[in-house]
Each structure stands twice: as structure tokens, then as C-alpha cells.
Amino acid sequence: MAQKITIEPVTRVEGHGKVTIHLDDNHQVTESRLHIVEFRGFERFVCGRPFWEAPVLVQRLCGICPVSHHLAAAKAMDMLVGAGDGNGLTPVAEKMRRLMHYGQIFQSHVLHFFHLASPDLLFGIDADPAQRNVIGVIMEHTELAKQAVLMRKYGQEIIAATAGKKIHGTGAVPGGINKNLSLEDRDAFLNGINGNPDLSADKMIKWAEAAIALLLDYHSSHTEFLDGFAAFPSNHLSLVRPDGALDLYHGVIRAVDPEGKRIVNDVDSRDYLEVVEEEVRSWSYMKFPYIKELGPKKGWYRVGPLARLNVCDFIPSPKAQAAFEQFRAYTKGKPNSMSMHYHWARLIETLHAAEVMKELLLDPDLQGTDLVTKGERCGEGIGLLEAPRGTLFHHYQVNEQDLITMCNLIVSTTNNNEPMNRAVNAAAVAQMTGKAEITEPMMNAVEVAIRAYDPCLSCATHAMGQMPLEVTLYDAAGAVLDQQRKGM
Amino acid sequence: MSSPSASPKVLVYGFGNPGREDDGAGVALAERIRAAALPGVTTDTNYQLNVEDALLLSEHDLVIFADATHNPVDRFSFYRLQPDASVSFTTHAMSPGSVLALCTQLYGKTPAAYLLEIAGTSFELREGMSAEGTENAEAAGAFLLELLREGSFERVEALYG
């Protein structure tokens, strides 16, 4: 009898997801799907509003990465006001935005690794759920947990200082920025916020290095798990600086295939519609993007930290570059297709963000006073950047009354839709084949695969609320054979 | 509360998404308290609570979280929180009780903490609160302002602790 296992919803990811795993008569996994069950309505929410409101409005999308949406919208508005496509801002404006963005990357990556992922790594995915959480981490690794809190706080304070406040920041405006960084703030970030040396730029770099060492130590004793869990070949897409450097704020679109061959060759981000299309599938509200030239079957790709390190040629900061060389050497220079190595890549980016923040803080341009650039107004704006979870596309059209008439957003989680489905399937095949009983470790294995991508389903679907977990086993006729719940 | 007789450091922390109608009730309330500029009372707001808020809590004697709720309460409810070490992290966000537990575990301090829940009726992706949500937030704000102006936190403990 064919069966279907439903895991609903996914925990420790934002928003509402549901996983179904289809078994055949012999309990072999035949197909797995990550369903997104709520409808995305944000693009309509923005229409009819004055374009200059967009950078603030779009932060309503979610509480995890409002800065990414704020900056992507601001980049699109730069085009609208004739300030170029990311390269036309004054030095103080571009560097303030970069500081804001790298602060966001830093705090988001820290949250993901220490809060969401580390319980699985430190205790194992089949550990008791009562221990396998952040309180468990605190009990066993108190100093590590305190470091994570301070790293998060540092990133949040960088955001507050550059964006104006933690939520609904107004730092980026069409064509530039509305304030520079005060010397007082600069000195505090360099030497320690409120005089606390544990909240200094150098301490962030040191702790980011320590986090990589922690992961590599774990990898040495869990190589098979980290290398094999939900691993599969894929294309990889990200922005990259024109010289091939990792650049999370601005760049050209590049993609490589599983062998590292260039399949999208440094396309101007304004031409993203020539590169990417989105497919609709009947069972999910979230679209499935793919590289147009390759079609939906072969053109799907991964985005995010793993993809970015597979696509770029080098990292323009010394400590992260050294870590990157080790990362690339592990796969002998070929793209890394191991889903759990997202965590490794994420920590290398965390170190890079810490280095970039310090470099920017030392740059006197941040105290400049030439904040905004304006040029010839046009009716269309496109802004792309690398958000913590991957490439983020913002596209707007505006009428003569300055009102937004069209908004298209492709968020990171949407870009990763197909690979997340494949990761779920890979985990299901490995963990559930031949088994009819639903167990918590089996459920968590699927979630571990999804968590590697750090999906922000709130961003992709605009769901909200606390989501308990329910697992249901159906037979081919739809009758419930078994049901497990947690958090309900 | 660690030192009720001294001037306690009070934090009013509103959280929620103002872009989702009544979900922004906690933020609106915190902004109203901030505008009142009461001595010894600071405010903070965010979309949601997270790990670093444990550090913020550790720096205060009394913390009042303000949040919107779907629950069928009469305008608002106000009650004492206990650290919640059961930790049911279901999203990136944390519950007030979980943040309190983190504060206890990491910093060895447990400020007196309360949750002011404001009844919301509409949580769609839209700016501005509903008429009923606004009324409820105003009632909750008036209640909290009176409590904070009175400054008798021993009474708070007696009534709600």
C-alpha cells in the first residue's frame, strides 16, 4: 500500500511549511515535497504607494532580514532617480549602505549558526529534543552562547547606527543615505560598545574565526554526516564583483554548473529577466525559478553562502580568503554540492563580514557629508543584492505620478525552492526508506536538511505565528495510518 | 523584582510587525510610553524577540513585554511571566518566557517580567491598526501609564505577581 507522510509545519524556520513524503508499497521513498501553503501578497501591498516609500515599506516583509529588503528596494530606487545601478552613489552613501548590509549579514549568520544549527551539530540530529535546542547549548557551552549573544548584538547595533533604528530604518533613501556615521559611533564599534571590549570589531573577527574552528573540529569527527547528508549536484548562482570577488552588496550575475563551468557569465543585474524565469507548480504557492537558457528541468540552482563561495573567485579580506582557500581545496576547486557545508560557507562569510565591517569603520569616507546623488528620473528600477540566505531581486515600475504600478520580488528562499525540495527528498531517502514508523529523529532529519538553507518562509509567503509540528501518515486512499505531534 | 525599594530600572518592550495591522499593537504601545518620558522607564521595540534580548533584560529590574494576541481576551491582559526553559523554538523568533529563561541561564538574573497582551482582530498585510485593535491598545496604554506613573511596583507584584 502506498503511503504519504506529512510533516507540518517545519520548526525552527520562519513561517509555515509542510513536508510530504510519499512512500510506495515497500516503504521506499518515491517523492518528497516542501509545500508552501500561504499566498504571497506583498507585491500588491506596495502597488499604489509613492516610490520613495518603498525602502521603508518593504521592511514589513519580515523581521529576520528587513535590512536586505530595505537596501534592495533602495538600489532599485537609485535607478529611478537617476543615481545609477549601484555604482553611482557618493562614497559615503555606498559605504554606509555596505556597513549596514554587512552588519545584517553578520548578525543573521550568527543567529542561524548558533541558534538554529548548532543544537543539531553539538548534540546530533537524533538527540533528545529537550536538549537539542539553544538552552541545551547554553547549559553545555555557556561561553559560546554568550559570544553568540554579543555577536548578534554587535550586528544589531551596526544596523541601528546606519539605518537609524532596528526596525523600519530609514537610512537608505533613493540615491543615497540620510546620515553618515558619527565619530562617536565609529570609535564605539572599533573599541567596544559602551566601553565593553567584548563588543569591538577585533573581538567579532576573533570569535568568527573561532566559530569556523569549531565547525571544522566537528567536521573532523562527523565527516560522513556533514559530507553526505542531503548532498546532490546542482547549479549555483550569485552576484559577484566584476573581478570575480565575493561581493554581497552589488555585482553582476554569475552561475556555474556542478563542474564549475560558467553557465551565466557576469550579466548586468538590470538584465536579470534575461537570465531567470519562474515556474508555477500546482501544489505550492512559492514559484520555482530557473536559468532561462537551460529550462526548468536543468536550470534550477542554489543560492546563499554555499552558492556564493562556489561562484566567486576569491574573497577580498585576508582571513576569510584563507578560510575560503581551505574550503575550495576540500573539493579540489570544484563546486561544493554538500548541503550541510552551507554552515561552513556561512561561517566563512561571517568572518568576511566582520573583516569588512572593521575595514569600513576605519575608512574616513564614512564621515563624509555628500549623501545623495540625483540624475534623470526614469520609470523602472531594479535592485539586486546578496541577502544572508541568497540572491534577492527587487523590480519596480513607477508611473508619472511617482506611484508604484508593478513590483516583482524574487526572494532568496524562492530561489532555493527546488534545492530545498531535493534536500528534503535526499534526507527522506536516507532516513525513512523501509520504515513505516514516524519518529522524532526522522522528522528532524528532514528539518535539518531544510535548515541548512535557512529558509525564511515568512519572507516568501508572508505567513506568521507559532507553528507546532504535526506528522501524519496516510495510505494511498488518504486514510490516516499514524499521526505524531509536537509543540501542540 | 530584584530591588523594589530602590529606583528600579524599568523596560517596556513592544514587539510585532506594524505592517500587519493589529500585530503592531505592542510597538504602538511602547512608542506611547516612550513619548510619556517617564523617569526610570526606557522602551525598546522590534519585530520579534531574539537571543540578544536576554542581555537587555539582564540590565533591568522590571520588564514589561507588550504584544498583540489572537487570544480572546477582554481588550488586554496583564500577567506575570516565568522563565520558560521548555524552549519550543518554532521559528527564528523567541517567546518572552524563553528570553527570560536565557537571561537566567546566561547572566544569572531574572528580572520581574510581565506580559501585556493586547487583543487584535485583524492581522493582514496592511498598515494601520483596526478600530477595535486601536481601542484595545489605547486602553492597555492607559492602564500601563497609570501603573508606571504610580511607580508602586510592590503593588504590581501584589496584584499580578
Side-chain angles (χ1 to χ4, degrees):
Chain A
M1 182 190 311
Q3 296 172 329
K4 181 173 75 171
I5 298 171
T6 302
I7 299 178
E8 181 186 15
V10 176
T11 60
R12 273 192 277 155
V13 299
E14 186 65 25
H16 188 171
K18 181 177 79 171
V19 172
T20 57
I21 300 163
H22 303 261
L23 306 179
D24 65 12
D25 292 344
N26 299 315
H27 302 305
Q28 303 298 306
V29 174
T30 58
E31 187 180 17
S32 308
R33 290 172 173 174
L34 173 63
H35 302 253
I36 303 302
V37 296
E38 296 208 21
F39 181 70
R40 184 167 65 149
F42 196 81
E43 285 125 331
R44 288 205 302 272
F45 172 71
V46 175
C47 286
R49 304 296 292 260
F51 74 80
W52 57 81
E53 287 186 357
V56 176
L57 278 176
V58 293
Q59 295 174 88
R60 268 81 164 168
L61 272 162
C62 106
I64 297 299
C65 55
V67 172
S68 302
H69 291 293
H70 177 59
L71 289 175
K75 290 181 72 179
M77 298 309 127
D78 293 343
M79 274 182 68
L80 278 165
V81 299
D85 68 327
N87 293 317
L89 303 183
T90 66
V92 59
E94 179 174 339
K95 289 174 183 177
M96 279 291 285
R97 286 192 188 181
R98 283 183 176 273
L99 182 60
M100 189 193 309
H101 186 51
Y102 282 85
Q104 154 83 351
I105 293 278
F106 183 77
Q107 62 88 18
S108 179
H109 281 4
V110 166
L111 173 72
H112 181 101
F113 180 72
F114 288 103
H115 187 181
L116 303 180
S118 75
D120 293 321
L121 302 182
L122 293 170
F123 301 116
I125 64 171
D126 54 355
D128 182 351
Q131 182 193 36
R132 200 189 59 230
N133 56 52
V134 73
I135 292 287
V137 174
I138 289 166
M139 299 298 281
E140 296 277 331
H141 307 273
T142 305
E143 288 309 307
L144 192 67
K146 285 182 174 176
Q147 285 178 17
V149 166
L150 292 173
M151 291 167 86
R152 273 277 296 180
K153 181 176 175 63
Y154 190 88
Q156 296 280 33
E157 293 294 336
I158 288 276
I159 291 169
T162 50
K165 49 186 179 176
K166 283 189 288 189
I167 62 172
H168 296 182
T170 55
V173 296
I177 199 92
N178 68 7
K179 68 190 278 280
N180 63 12
L181 189 73
S182 70
L183 288 170
E184 184 184 15
D185 279 345
R186 181 201 66 181
D187 292 343
F189 288 125
L190 284 172
N191 304 320
I193 299 168
N194 296 329
N196 181 355
D198 279 344
L199 284 167
S200 66
D202 284 332
K203 191 55 76 82
M204 296 304 118
I205 293 171
K206 182 182 173 188
W207 284 344
E209 285 184 286
I212 295 174
L214 175 75
L215 183 74
L216 292 179
D217 181 57
Y218 178 84
H219 183 245
S220 66
S221 56
H222 298 79
T223 308
E224 188 178 345
F225 166 61
L226 282 187
D227 290 3
F229 188 89
F232 51 86
S234 71
N235 303 314
H236 301 269
L237 181 144
S238 85
L239 299 179
V240 62
R241 205 167 72 183
D243 65 355
L246 178 73
D247 192 325
L248 304 176
Y249 176 73
H250 189 65
V252 292
I253 305 170
R254 180 186 286 186
V256 298
D257 73 6
E259 296 302 312
K261 180 188 167 196
R262 203 79 63 84
I263 51 177
V264 175
N265 195 12
D266 296 358
V267 173
D268 190 309
S269 60
R270 290 170 293 186
D271 297 325
Y272 85 98
L273 285 174
E274 294 176 12
V275 174
V276 171
E277 274 192 346
E278 295 179 272
E279 182 187 23
V280 175
R281 296 183 192 171
S282 60
W283 47 269
S284 176
Y285 279 119
M286 196 158 71
K287 293 179 181 177
F288 289 78
Y290 58 90
I291 294 167
K292 207 168 178 176
E293 191 175 329
L294 298 178
K297 293 273 189 253
K298 295 182 179 176
W300 59 274
Y301 53 85
R302 294 196 237 217
V303 297
L306 186 74
R308 289 191 285 252
L309 295 202
N310 284 330
V311 166
C312 75
D313 297 326
F314 67 99
I315 297 181
S317 66
K319 292 177 186 293
Q321 170 64 16
F324 173 71
E325 288 169 9
Q326 188 178 9
F327 177 86
R328 288 298 283 263
Y330 192 69
T331 52
K332 298 181 172 55
K334 291 284 180 66
N336 185 326
S337 293
M338 295 169 263
S339 292
M340 294 302 285
H341 287 214
Y342 260 97
H343 298 305
W344 187 2
R346 188 171 287 116
L347 290 175
I348 293 172
E349 286 192 343
T350 305
L351 175 58
H352 175 56
E355 290 184 287
V356 170
M357 286 191 292
K358 182 180 179 184
E359 183 185 335
L360 287 167
L361 289 166
L362 290 169
D363 190 329
D365 277 349
L366 283 183
Q367 280 76 49
T369 55
D370 191 5
L371 305 181
V372 176
T373 305
K374 291 280 172 66
E376 188 176 343
R377 164 89 155 72
C378 68
E380 188 162 31
I382 296 170
L384 272 65
L385 56 69
E386 288 295 327
R389 292 155 194 81
T391 316
L392 173 62
F393 302 69
H394 275 226
H395 183 187
Y396 304 87
Q397 289 174 349
V398 177
N399 66 17
E400 290 178 353
Q401 287 74 48
D402 289 343
L403 302 179
I404 296 169
T405 56
M406 188 283 291
C407 170
N408 184 43
L409 310 177
I410 308 176
V411 302
S412 314
T413 299
T414 305
N415 281 306
N416 269 333
N417 197 357
E418 178 69 26
M420 284 194 299
N421 272 274
R422 291 184 180 243
V424 165
N425 192 60
V429 168
Q431 301 286 328
M432 299 182 179
T433 295
K435 299 174 184 173
E437 184 185 1
I438 301 168
T439 63
E440 201 284 333
M442 289 165 66
M443 289 151 55
N444 197 48
V446 170
E447 294 184 34
V448 166
I450 297 171
R451 277 201 287 275
Y453 294 81
D454 190 14
C456 189
L457 301 181
S458 176
C459 191
T461 68
H462 312 302
M464 65 179 293
Q466 297 290 310
M467 301 293 175
L469 180 67
E470 181 177 290
V471 182
T472 310
L473 185 66
Y474 298 96
D475 66 14
V480 175
L481 295 178
D482 188 13
Q483 191 169 62
Q484 300 288 331
R485 292 176 173 179
K486 67 178 181 182
M488 299 181 73
Chain B
M1 198 170 336
S2 57
S3 55
S5 56
S7 295
K9 293 180 69 178
V10 179
L11 171 69
V12 177
Y13 195 141
F15 62 100
N17 187 345
R20 284 189 175 275
E21 297 190 288
D22 295 349
D23 196 40
V27 172
L29 184 140
E31 287 173 352
R32 183 175 170 187
I33 300 297
R34 182 175 57 188
L38 301 174
V41 179
T42 56
T43 63
D44 203 345
T45 58
N46 213 333
Y47 281 104
Q48 53 201 36
L49 303 177
N50 226 305
V51 287
E52 67 275 11
D53 293 318
L55 184 58
L56 181 66
L57 263 58
S58 75
E59 296 163 352
H60 291 83
D61 302 304
L62 173 68
V63 178
I64 297 166
F65 293 102
D67 187 21
T69 182
H70 294 91
N71 296 331
V73 298
D74 183 14
R75 292 192 168 226
F76 63 88
S77 65
F78 185 71
Y79 57 90
R80 180 76 184 253
L81 283 171
Q82 297 299 328
D84 178 11
S86 62
V87 193
S88 56
F89 293 113
T90 54
T91 73
H92 290 87
M94 295 180 72
S95 70
S98 294
V99 176
L100 195 58
L102 269 183
C103 181
T104 303
Q105 296 289 349
L106 284 177
Y107 306 109
K109 297 176 183 173
T110 310
Y114 294 84
L115 179 59
L116 179 57
E117 285 190 314
I118 304 157
T121 59
S122 186
F123 294 84
E124 295 302 312
L125 191 60
R126 195 178 299 133
E127 285 191 304
M129 291 166 59
S130 69
E132 194 174 339
T134 302
E135 282 181 15
N136 295 343
E138 284 177 358
F143 161 80
L144 188 58
L145 273 171
E146 184 183 346
L147 207 62
L148 294 172
R149 282 191 175 122
E150 195 176 73
S152 176
F153 298 109
E154 291 88 347
R155 183 165 166 265
V156 174
E157 292 281 77
L159 284 171
Y160 304 101

